[in-house]
Amino acid sequence: MNLSDIIAINICKQGSDNMRIAICDDEVSMVQILEEKIKKLLPDAVIDKYLSGDELIASGSKPDILFLDIQMPGMDGMETAKMLRQDNEDMILIFVTAAEEYVFQAFDVGAFHYLVKPFSDEKLKEVVTKAVHNIKRSSRLEKDEKYIMVQNAGSHIKIFLRDIVYAEVYNRKVIIHTRSTDIEYYGKLQELSDMAGTDFFRTHRAYLVHFKYVEKYDATCVTMKNGTALIAKKNYPEFVKQYLKYNQRKGNEVR
């Protein structure tokens, strides 16, 4: 097994399945070289190739990572990057150029890195690895940003799931206890439970708790960060099982 194989295995473990990569450079040989090197690093990625900024813009492509030359005939790399940024703020932009003098302009279009030709395989590996980490981190944050909209006193309120400590039903209303306030609305706790996912658990027909904010528990109740939720005797074994799974997922289990 050579170095490129080891690099590819390590990066694939970080999660590159179905990642979309675009290479834009007016030099055909440079496009081919980059494609070959990136395939070794990210063998499962989809790679699109373009020989000009105009061609890239016309394609409507929205890559996860773009390797972009600066000095190209027609629309140069900087102008291309500005146009792409209008519809793709999350794209990882990596300039690949022989011109060092544009490095400060690269900040204006949110460049992730500025690779100066010629560069080593190790340098490319370092930049790609960081880019993949960045995409994974953004993906995790995006998942954590799920929210619900509820109607209360004529107003529509956005509540992020990450902020919900627990919820309960009282007098046909669902009361959501967040880290900072309580919000009531007419609805069904089951609907909230279905949306909330595996980080939450229905301890009782009247209570839904967020594992993240559990401070202690026994067979009768769960003490949360800002309140207490009842736990039905029949639900206790499954609660313990799912809470342990949650801790394993989050890396919080103490042995």
Coordinates of all heavy atoms in Angstrom, one line a residue, residues 22-34 49-56 66-77 80 96-99 117:
A22 N -15.7 20.4 -8.3 CA -15.6 21.0 -9.6 C -14.1 21.5 -9.7 O -13.5 22.0 -8.8 CB -16.6 22.2 -9.7
I23 N -13.6 21.3 -10.9 CA -12.3 21.8 -11.3 C -12.4 22.8 -12.5 O -13.0 22.4 -13.5 CB -11.3 20.7 -11.6 CG1 -11.2 19.7 -10.5 CG2 -9.9 21.3 -12.0 CD1 -10.4 18.4 -10.9
C24 N -11.9 24.0 -12.3 CA -12.0 25.0 -13.4 C -10.7 25.6 -13.7 O -10.2 26.3 -12.8 CB -13.1 26.0 -13.1 SG -13.4 27.2 -14.4
D25 N -10.1 25.3 -14.9 CA -8.8 25.8 -15.2 C -8.7 25.7 -16.7 O -9.1 24.7 -17.4 CB -7.7 24.9 -14.6 CG -6.3 25.6 -14.6 OD1 -5.9 26.0 -15.7 OD2 -5.7 25.6 -13.6
D26 N -8.1 26.8 -17.4 CA -8.0 26.8 -18.8 C -7.0 25.9 -19.4 O -6.9 25.6 -20.6 CB -7.8 28.2 -19.3 CG -6.5 28.8 -18.9 OD1 -6.2 28.7 -17.6 OD2 -5.8 29.4 -19.7
E27 N -6.1 25.4 -18.5 CA -5.1 24.4 -18.9 C -5.6 23.0 -18.8 O -5.8 22.5 -17.7 CB -3.8 24.6 -18.1 CG -3.1 25.9 -18.2 CD -1.8 26.0 -17.4 OE1 -1.1 24.9 -17.3 OE2 -1.5 27.1 -16.9
V28 N -5.8 22.3 -19.9 CA -6.3 20.9 -19.9 C -5.5 20.0 -19.1 O -6.0 19.2 -18.3 CB -6.4 20.4 -21.3 CG1 -6.9 18.9 -21.3 CG2 -7.4 21.3 -22.1
S29 N -4.1 20.2 -19.2 CA -3.2 19.3 -18.4 C -3.4 19.5 -16.9 O -3.3 18.5 -16.2 CB -1.8 19.6 -18.8 OG -1.4 20.9 -18.6
M30 N -3.6 20.7 -16.5 CA -3.8 21.0 -15.1 C -5.1 20.4 -14.6 O -5.1 19.8 -13.4 CB -3.8 22.5 -14.8 CG -3.7 22.8 -13.3 SD -2.2 22.2 -12.5 CE -2.7 22.1 -10.8
V31 N -6.1 20.4 -15.4 CA -7.4 19.8 -15.0 C -7.3 18.3 -14.8 O -7.7 17.7 -13.9 CB -8.5 20.1 -16.1 CG1 -9.8 19.3 -15.8 CG2 -8.8 21.6 -16.1
Q32 N -6.5 17.7 -15.8 CA -6.3 16.3 -15.7 C -5.5 15.8 -14.5 O -5.8 14.8 -13.8 CB -5.7 15.8 -17.0 CG -6.6 15.9 -18.2 CD -5.8 15.6 -19.5 OE1 -4.6 15.7 -19.6 NE2 -6.6 15.3 -20.6
I33 N -4.5 16.6 -14.2 CA -3.6 16.3 -13.1 C -4.4 16.4 -11.8 O -4.3 15.6 -10.9 CB -2.4 17.3 -13.0 CG1 -1.4 16.9 -14.2 CG2 -1.7 17.2 -11.7 CD1 -0.3 17.9 -14.4
L34 N -5.1 17.5 -11.6 CA -5.9 17.7 -10.4 C -7.0 16.6 -10.3 O -7.2 16.1 -9.2 CB -6.6 19.1 -10.4 CG -5.9 20.2 -9.6 CD1 -6.7 21.5 -9.8 CD2 -5.8 19.9 -8.2
K49 N -15.6 18.9 -14.6 CA -14.4 19.7 -15.1 C -14.9 20.8 -16.1 O -15.8 20.6 -16.9 CB -13.5 18.7 -15.8 CG -12.9 17.7 -14.9 CD -12.2 16.5 -15.7 CE -13.3 15.7 -16.4 NZ -12.8 14.5 -17.1
Y50 N -14.2 21.9 -15.9 CA -14.6 23.1 -16.8 C -13.3 23.8 -17.2 O -12.3 23.8 -16.5 CB -15.5 24.1 -16.0 CG -16.7 23.4 -15.5 CD1 -16.7 22.9 -14.2 CD2 -17.8 23.3 -16.2 CE1 -17.9 22.3 -13.6 CE2 -19.0 22.6 -15.7 CZ -19.0 22.2 -14.4 OH -20.1 21.6 -13.9
L51 N -13.3 24.3 -18.4 CA -12.1 25.0 -19.0 C -12.2 26.5 -19.0 O -11.3 27.2 -19.5 CB -11.8 24.5 -20.4 CG -11.5 23.0 -20.5 CD1 -11.3 22.6 -22.0 CD2 -10.2 22.6 -19.7
S52 N -13.3 27.0 -18.4 CA -13.4 28.5 -18.3 C -14.4 28.8 -17.3 O -15.3 28.0 -17.0 CB -13.8 29.1 -19.7 OG -15.2 28.7 -20.0
G53 N -14.3 30.1 -16.8 CA -15.3 30.6 -15.9 C -16.7 30.6 -16.5 O -17.7 30.3 -15.9
D54 N -16.8 31.1 -17.8 CA -18.0 31.2 -18.5 C -18.7 29.8 -18.6 O -20.0 29.7 -18.4 CB -17.8 31.7 -19.9 CG -17.2 33.1 -19.9 OD1 -17.9 34.1 -19.7 OD2 -16.0 33.2 -20.0
E55 N -17.9 28.8 -18.8 CA -18.5 27.4 -18.9 C -19.0 26.9 -17.6 O -20.1 26.3 -17.5 CB -17.4 26.4 -19.4 CG -17.9 25.0 -19.7 CD -16.8 24.1 -20.1 OE1 -15.6 24.5 -20.3 OE2 -17.0 22.9 -20.1
L56 N -18.3 27.2 -16.5 CA -18.7 26.8 -15.2 C -20.0 27.5 -14.8 O -20.9 26.9 -14.3 CB -17.6 27.2 -14.2 CG -17.9 27.0 -12.7 CD1 -18.4 25.6 -12.4 CD2 -16.7 27.3 -11.8
L66 N -14.8 23.7 -4.9 CA -14.4 24.2 -6.2 C -12.9 24.5 -6.2 O -12.4 25.3 -5.4 CB -15.2 25.4 -6.6 CG -14.7 26.1 -7.8 CD1 -14.8 25.3 -9.1 CD2 -15.5 27.4 -8.0
F67 N -12.1 23.9 -7.1 CA -10.7 24.2 -7.4 C -10.7 25.1 -8.6 O -11.1 24.7 -9.7 CB -9.9 23.0 -7.7 CG -9.8 22.1 -6.5 CD1 -10.7 21.1 -6.2 CD2 -8.7 22.2 -5.6 CE1 -10.6 20.3 -5.1 CE2 -8.5 21.4 -4.5 CZ -9.5 20.4 -4.2
L68 N -10.3 26.4 -8.4 CA -10.5 27.4 -9.4 C -9.2 28.2 -9.7 O -8.6 28.7 -8.8 CB -11.6 28.4 -8.9 CG -12.0 29.6 -9.8 CD1 -12.6 29.1 -11.1 CD2 -12.9 30.5 -9.1
D69 N -8.9 28.2 -11.0 CA -7.8 29.0 -11.5 C -8.2 30.5 -11.5 O -9.4 30.8 -11.6 CB -7.4 28.5 -12.9 CG -6.1 29.2 -13.4 OD1 -5.3 29.7 -12.5 OD2 -5.9 29.2 -14.6
I70 N -7.2 31.4 -11.4 CA -7.5 32.8 -11.4 C -7.3 33.4 -12.8 O -8.2 34.0 -13.4 CB -6.7 33.6 -10.4 CG1 -7.1 33.1 -9.0 CG2 -6.9 35.1 -10.6 CD1 -6.3 33.8 -7.9
Q71 N -6.2 33.1 -13.4 CA -5.8 33.8 -14.7 C -6.3 32.9 -15.8 O -5.7 32.0 -16.3 CB -4.3 33.9 -14.8 CG -3.8 34.9 -13.8 CD -2.3 35.1 -13.8 OE1 -1.5 34.1 -13.8 NE2 -1.8 36.3 -13.9
M72 N -7.6 33.2 -16.3 CA -8.2 32.5 -17.4 C -8.7 33.5 -18.4 O -9.1 34.6 -18.0 CB -9.3 31.7 -16.9 CG -9.0 30.5 -16.0 SD -10.4 29.5 -15.5 CE -11.4 30.6 -14.6
P73 N -8.7 33.2 -19.7 CA -9.2 34.1 -20.7 C -10.7 34.3 -20.5 O -11.4 33.4 -19.9 CB -8.9 33.4 -22.0 CG -8.7 32.0 -21.7 CD -8.1 32.0 -20.3
G74 N -11.3 35.4 -20.9 CA -12.7 35.7 -20.7 C -12.9 36.0 -19.2 O -12.2 36.9 -18.6
M75 N -13.9 35.3 -18.6 CA -14.2 35.6 -17.2 C -13.1 35.0 -16.3 O -12.9 33.8 -16.3 CB -15.5 35.0 -16.8 CG -16.0 35.3 -15.4 SD -17.6 34.6 -15.0 CE -18.6 35.5 -16.1
D76 N -12.3 35.8 -15.6 CA -11.3 35.3 -14.7 C -11.8 34.6 -13.5 O -13.0 34.7 -13.2 CB -10.2 36.3 -14.4 CG -10.7 37.5 -13.5 OD1 -11.7 37.3 -12.8 OD2 -10.1 38.5 -13.5
G77 N -10.9 34.0 -12.7 CA -11.3 33.3 -11.5 C -12.0 34.2 -10.5 O -13.0 33.7 -9.8
T80 N -15.5 35.0 -11.6 CA -16.3 33.7 -11.6 C -16.7 33.4 -10.1 O -17.9 33.1 -9.9 CB -15.5 32.5 -12.1 OG1 -15.1 32.8 -13.5 CG2 -16.3 31.2 -12.1
V96 N -6.4 27.7 -7.2 CA -5.2 27.0 -7.7 C -4.6 27.8 -8.8 O -5.1 27.9 -9.9 CB -5.5 25.6 -8.2 CG1 -4.3 24.8 -8.6 CG2 -6.3 24.8 -7.1
T97 N -3.5 28.5 -8.5 CA -3.0 29.5 -9.4 C -1.4 29.7 -9.3 O -0.9 29.3 -8.2 CB -3.6 30.9 -9.2 OG1 -3.1 31.8 -10.1 CG2 -3.5 31.3 -7.8
A98 N -0.8 30.2 -10.3 CA 0.6 30.5 -10.3 C 0.8 31.9 -9.9 O 2.0 32.3 -9.7 CB 1.2 30.2 -11.7
A99 N -0.2 32.7 -9.8 CA -0.1 34.1 -9.4 C -0.3 34.3 -7.9 O -1.5 34.2 -7.4 CB -1.2 34.9 -10.2
K117 N 0.8 27.2 -7.6 CA 1.4 26.2 -8.4 C 2.9 26.4 -8.5 O 3.3 27.6 -8.5 CB 0.9 26.2 -9.9 CG -0.6 26.1 -10.0 CD -1.0 26.3 -11.5 CE -2.5 26.3 -11.6 NZ -2.9 26.6 -13.0

